[in-house]
Amino acid sequence: MLNEPLVSVVIPVYNVEQFVSECIESVLRQSYRNIQLVLIDDCSTDNSDRICQQYAKQDKRISYSHKIVNGGVCKARNMGINKSKGKYICFMDADDFIAEDYVERYVNLMEKKKVPVIYGQLKYFQDGKYIRRPRRINEGLYSTEDVSAILIDDGTVTGILFGSVCGAIYDLDYIKTNSLLFDEEIKRNEDGLFNLDLLAVCDKFYVTHYDGYCYRQWKDTRIYPTFETDKELDKATDAIRKRHSHLKDFNIQMQRRNVSVIFWNAIKIGNSQDRKMSNCCLLREYLEQSTLDKDYTTVKKRIISIYKRILLFLLYKRKTYLFCLLMMYIYPIMKRFR
């Protein structure tokens, strides 16, 4: 253990009492033992704080901080970065969990590849079942230049290529040396924006298809009382435009991003107002004001998942009634086939 580099695992915690124990346990059970677990509780109002305190008393590897006064996940992660002492750093969400060999596999790769970051795969965990995600990029060593034309959006209506900091491992000294932090003004796509900022100063990175990170899906079925376009996505889009216009095919990538934003806003409409068919009028009005007609041609239809292809085509053709019908009855099944 003395020769093993310390790995910091940062987990922001907010009102996840039903899942946080499983998340923490998955870290403590790692085959790789030299771990610093950094728990940042963001002023939880449930039992999350009590649960974290109990674990911190039981295991000296845990560093626990409570109350940021609802600072949000970016501020919590930034606090975690400042408190981290490892050679490497990983991020997790408090409702997720990782395989027992997760840290060991990533450390071995980092020691071998000598890169600032390694990106892996996530797999979804929903209703007791694992759902594997499609691979958007081959395994291997890359430069930012290699993927510059697909970093913002590769045309699969999926968004930023490396859209999550979960399922990845970073060189902590590289992050601190380059003063990389999460933008605390951004509440959506904050992970992807952090990765874009890192790759802007990064010479090489590695991609693995290992999917030991399990992303728990349990909020997708929520019903929105009313619909408003996602202003947080718009803020992230503005930040990308200001900071990363140097990327290849920037305008095409931003068109593809527009399609992604339109798509997710449309799904939000389909899940609003108790899923009444009055959503059709709202959806039609939204589409008429969007840029979908112009930007739809940039989507790589042959390689996107079947459920997205169908739903996007219905939006493009303004089949709003059928779209809303699918959202009510078929979408919960279709979204499993990503």
Side-chain angles (χ1 to χ4, degrees):
M1 185 170 175
L2 293 176
N3 295 323
E4 294 177 342
L6 179 67
V7 178
S8 299
V9 181
V10 175
I11 306 177
V13 177
Y14 180 72
N15 287 354
V16 283
E17 60 182 359
Q18 67 270 51
F19 300 125
V20 69
S21 291
E22 184 178 2
C23 178
I24 293 173
E25 289 282 357
S26 75
V27 178
L28 299 182
R29 285 198 304 265
Q30 288 296 297
S31 57
Y32 191 92
R33 304 300 297 170
N34 198 17
I35 289 173
Q36 175 199 18
L37 176 52
V38 183
L39 299 173
I40 309 290
D41 184 85
D42 191 12
C43 206
S44 292
T45 57
D46 64 0
N47 289 317
S48 297
D49 172 46
R50 180 182 59 81
I51 294 169
C52 290
Q53 286 190 53
Q54 289 177 345
Y55 277 103
K57 291 176 182 178
Q58 296 169 9
D59 198 311
K60 64 182 181 181
R61 295 178 296 170
I62 297 176
S63 167
Y64 176 60
S65 301
H66 178 60
K67 289 188 178 180
I68 311 175
V69 193
N70 293 324
V73 68
C74 287
K75 187 166 186 177
R77 285 176 177 156
N78 288 339
M79 285 185 64
I81 290 172
N82 291 331
K83 290 179 177 293
S84 293
K85 301 175 181 178
K87 179 179 181 181
Y88 304 124
I89 185 171
C90 301
F91 298 95
M92 291 181 64
D93 291 338
D95 50 355
D96 300 337
F97 56 97
I98 52 178
E100 289 187 11
D101 64 344
Y102 180 85
V103 174
E104 183 177 7
R105 296 267 303 249
Y106 274 104
V107 169
N108 288 340
L109 276 174
M110 286 293 275
E111 292 289 286
K112 181 179 179 180
K113 301 299 180 183
K114 305 295 183 183
V115 290
V117 58
I118 292 177
Y119 296 109
Q121 287 280 108
L122 308 178
K123 60 174 173 277
Y124 294 119
F125 183 75
Q126 183 175 17
D127 299 329
K129 297 180 181 179
Y130 294 99
I131 306 168
R132 298 194 181 278
R133 300 180 69 196
R135 297 166 179 173
R136 298 173 66 189
I137 184 171
N138 293 330
E139 281 193 328
L141 187 67
Y142 292 87
S143 69
T144 302
E145 182 72 13
D146 293 333
V147 295
S148 180
I150 57 173
L151 275 178
I152 298 172
D153 199 302
D154 62 356
T156 60
V157 200
T158 309
I160 296 171
L161 181 61
F162 302 111
S164 177
V165 294
C166 302
I169 187 168
Y170 300 82
D171 184 310
L172 181 57
D173 183 63
Y174 193 88
I175 287 175
K176 291 183 176 181
T177 299
N178 287 280
S179 302
L180 293 166
L181 291 171
F182 291 86
D183 189 334
E184 295 178 11
E185 299 300 316
I186 303 295
K187 294 182 173 60
R188 291 288 303 275
N189 284 164
E190 70 282 350
D191 293 36
L193 192 57
F194 177 86
N195 283 326
L196 285 174
D197 292 344
L198 183 147
L199 292 173
V201 296
C202 175
D203 292 330
K204 296 287 183 180
F205 64 94
Y206 190 79
V207 175
T208 175
H209 286 166
Y210 173 65
D211 59 356
Y213 190 100
C214 302
Y215 180 89
R216 190 189 304 272
Q217 287 199 307
W218 58 284
K219 297 179 181 179
D220 287 352
T221 57
R222 61 191 174 194
I223 297 173
Y224 300 90
T226 57
F227 168 74
E228 294 181 357
T229 56
D230 197 325
K231 293 181 175 60
E232 293 301 327
L233 278 177
D234 295 338
K235 285 172 63 175
T237 299
D238 289 340
I240 292 170
R241 186 174 287 112
K242 290 176 182 177
R243 282 139 70 168
H244 298 289
S245 60
H246 61 281
L247 293 174
K248 288 182 182 178
D249 298 334
F250 177 75
N251 291 333
I252 292 176
Q253 289 196 71
M254 293 303 287
Q255 283 185 274
R256 291 170 176 167
R257 177 174 173 82
N258 288 340
V259 174
S260 297
V261 171
I262 293 166
F263 180 76
W264 296 117
N265 275 328
I267 287 179
K268 194 174 180 182
I269 293 175
N271 284 330
S272 67
Q273 300 179 4
D274 295 326
R275 300 186 181 183
K276 294 177 182 178
M277 296 313 295
S278 59
N279 293 343
C280 294
C281 296
L282 181 61
L283 179 57
R284 182 172 289 276
E285 181 180 345
Y286 169 70
L287 293 175
E288 290 302 324
Q289 297 173 358
S290 76
T291 60
L292 184 60
D293 288 344
K294 179 182 66 173
D295 298 336
Y296 180 76
T297 57
T298 65
V299 175
K300 297 180 179 178
K301 303 168 191 65
R302 292 184 179 180
I303 61 174
I304 65 175
S305 62
I306 187 170
Y307 93 90
K308 289 179 182 177
R309 194 184 315 165
I310 293 170
L311 291 176
L312 190 59
F313 180 77
L314 293 176
L315 293 174
Y316 178 65
K317 292 296 185 179
R318 303 297 194 269
K319 304 294 183 180
T320 54
Y321 180 87
L322 185 54
F323 179 90
C324 290
L325 195 66
L326 288 176
M327 288 299 301
M328 290 175 65
Y329 299 110
I330 308 299
Y331 176 65
I333 299 173
M334 290 173 65
K335 68 180 181 180
R336 292 177 178 272
F337 302 98
R338 295 175 181 271

